[in-house]
Structure formats: C-alpha cells, structure tokens
Amino acid sequence: MPAPLPLSEAPPHRLAALRYVLTDIDDTLTEEGRLPALAYSAMEALSAAGIAVIPVTGRPAGWCDAIARQWPVAAVVGENGALWYAEDRAARRMLRWQAQDEAARLANRGRLMALADRAMAAVPGSALSADQPFRLFDAAVDFAEDAGPLPLEDAHRIAAVFEAGGAQAKVSSIHVNAWFGDWDKRSGIENLFATRLAPLASVIGRVAFLGDSPNDAPLFAAVPFSVGVANVIPHLDSIAAPPAYVTRAPGGRGFAEFAEGLLAARNTTTEENAA
C-alpha cells in the first residue's frame, strides 16, 4: 500500500473542485481534547465559501445534536455511522435519521453492555467512556481519554472481546466503539448524501475526508481525496486503507492547513478564470 503523499503535493485543481468536507472530530479537529479556535475558524471559512462541512464521528447522539445546532456544519454523522442529524436552519427544525429501529436497539443494549463489562475486566485500566450516557447505539470503552492512556495493543484486546461476542468494534484514538448492527462511517455518510444532498458516487470527485485513526479506514477507502492529519502516521500500519495525503501539522492545525490550501486553490482558480 503506497504511503500518503504530503498534502502540499495535491493538485490545486483537485482542491479547488471540492464542495464537501467530511471530517473526523477527535484528534482531527481537536488537540488534547479541545477544539482550537483555528479549527473552528477554518470550518466557518469553508462554510462561508459555500463548502458543506460534515463531521463524521464516533461521538454520541447527545453531542451530535449540539454540534448540528451550534457549529458551522451542514450535518453531523455520529456513533460511527449509526445516525445523522442535520438542522434545517430556515425552518428551525432538526432532521434525524438512525440506522436501526428502536426495538432492535433496545434488544441489543443489554448484550452490548455485558460485553463492555467483560472487555474492561480483561484490560485493567480501561473504563466506560464518560460520554456513554449520551449514546444510543454503541458502547465506548475508554483507553486514552479519561482512562490510561493505555497502549494501542490494549485497545485491540478490548476490541477482540467485543468481536468474540459477535459485535462490531472499531478502535479510535481514544475509545473502542462497539455495536450490534451493519453500519460504519461510510454507510452513514452514504445515507446522509442520498437523503439530503446527492448520491455520494455522483459527487465523489468533489468530496474530501479528513481523519486520524483506524476507524476512519472505511472513508479513507471510499473517498479518493482522503487526508490524514499528521498524527495519523503512527497508525498507518494498522489502517487497511490509508489516506491519499497527509498534512504537516497534527489535529486541528492539520485541518486548518487543509482548509487554507483548499481556499487558496479556489481563489487562484477564480483569478485565473477571470484573467
């Protein structure tokens, strides 16, 4: 698998063509658990330029409701593709979709939390994530946010317990997220685009995705213009489909670096067309 190219080597015309920016949140927009002002400003600048910014995250439904309302975003996909929220700002109405009906969700809940207990017993020092009460579909076991930090090998041991119990499990930079259901970040985005925007395949040349960890692999694979912020580099060996490009800076600074490059490419193209 070829190594990612520096983002600085991305063709300007490809950057200028982008109209949709999908982005992970933790350690892609954030740094050390905080959203830096320059990352938020970069989202605002992209939105003001008519580019739809769409966070795609393992974070819970409760967070997604707030993000969809308060951030300069077109929508947010949460719990690793289990749901999406989009605020119709003109109608002052929140639109919501979920991948699984309530009966199935509730039936799976007890089994999932029992596996979480088993995983935490198998890996001392791990803990249920602090945001678990705001989750609808998954269990999140913390190994590097409030717990630990534990080595990545321990995160994979946690994931293995869930998988042995029949659940899906994905390792992020801070949590192991697990669920019973057939979805991931890619399927969540595909549903959002088909419902609210345009079929993803029809606009894929205008889409970018930014991420930093193994659970971003489905979208690194699905989106040709995929970008890892610099802190993805230690994880590349464990990512089945690595990003096409990588930024110089990590986290939110890497996202801002990408946004600056995109907007500069658009401005240059506009000036050339006007000449």
Side-chain angles (χ1 to χ4, degrees):
M1 194 71 67
L5 296 172
L7 180 62
S8 59
E9 295 184 18
H13 72 275
R14 298 258 338 258
L15 277 164
L18 296 172
R19 295 296 179 270
Y20 306 93
V21 172
L22 318 179
T23 178
D24 176 53
I25 293 179
D26 288 296
D27 298 314
T28 300
L29 287 175
T30 67
E31 293 187 17
E32 298 183 356
R34 300 293 181 93
L35 180 67
L38 82 174
Y40 192 91
S41 295
M43 286 189 284
E44 284 194 316
L46 291 172
S47 180
I51 296 165
V53 179
I54 303 171
V56 191
T57 181
R59 287 296 188 176
W63 284 37
C64 292
D65 185 276
I67 289 168
R69 293 177 191 276
Q70 297 179 357
W71 288 19
V73 299
V76 56
V77 174
E79 298 196 22
N80 284 296
L83 54 90
W84 58 256
Y85 295 166
E87 186 180 26
D88 182 335
R89 301 191 192 280
R92 297 172 61 87
R93 183 166 61 99
M94 184 67 72
L95 306 175
R96 296 182 175 87
W97 170 85
Q98 60 188 47
Q100 194 174 71
D101 64 39
E102 279 297 285
R105 181 181 78 82
L106 293 172
N108 288 329
R109 199 70 186 163
R111 295 167 60 207
L112 190 60
M113 298 314 294
L115 284 174
D117 288 340
R118 193 179 306 170
M120 291 184 289
V123 181
S126 63
L128 207 59
S129 69
D131 64 13
Q132 185 64 46
F134 315 113
R135 294 179 179 274
L136 293 177
F137 292 94
D138 70 4
V141 175
D142 181 354
F143 67 91
E145 184 176 39
D146 298 316
L150 303 178
L152 200 56
E153 291 79 6
D154 282 351
H156 289 294
R157 288 172 55 209
I158 293 167
V161 172
F162 282 113
E163 290 166 348
Q168 291 203 54
K170 299 293 182 183
V171 176
S172 77
S173 57
I174 54 174
H175 296 159
V176 177
N177 299 88
W179 61 91
F180 287 107
D182 186 21
W183 63 77
D184 58 20
K185 287 185 173 185
R186 176 175 179 170
S187 65
I189 276 292
E190 287 175 339
N191 183 281
L192 171 66
F193 269 70
T195 304
R196 292 281 295 160
L197 302 166
L200 184 60
S202 72
V203 294
I204 197 67
R206 298 187 167 210
V207 178
F209 171 68
L210 288 88
D212 74 294
S213 64
N215 73 331
D216 294 318
L219 282 174
F220 285 149
V223 179
F225 202 106
S226 58
V227 181
V229 289
N231 41 296
V232 76
I233 293 171
H235 304 292
L236 288 175
D237 288 344
S238 60
I239 299 178
Y245 300 100
V246 66
T247 63
R248 293 188 308 275
R253 283 171 290 156
F255 181 86
E257 175 188 330
F258 161 81
E260 182 179 355
L262 188 164
L263 294 171
R266 286 191 73 185
N267 290 339
T268 299
T269 301
T270 300
E271 291 168 2
E272 290 173 350
N273 289 340

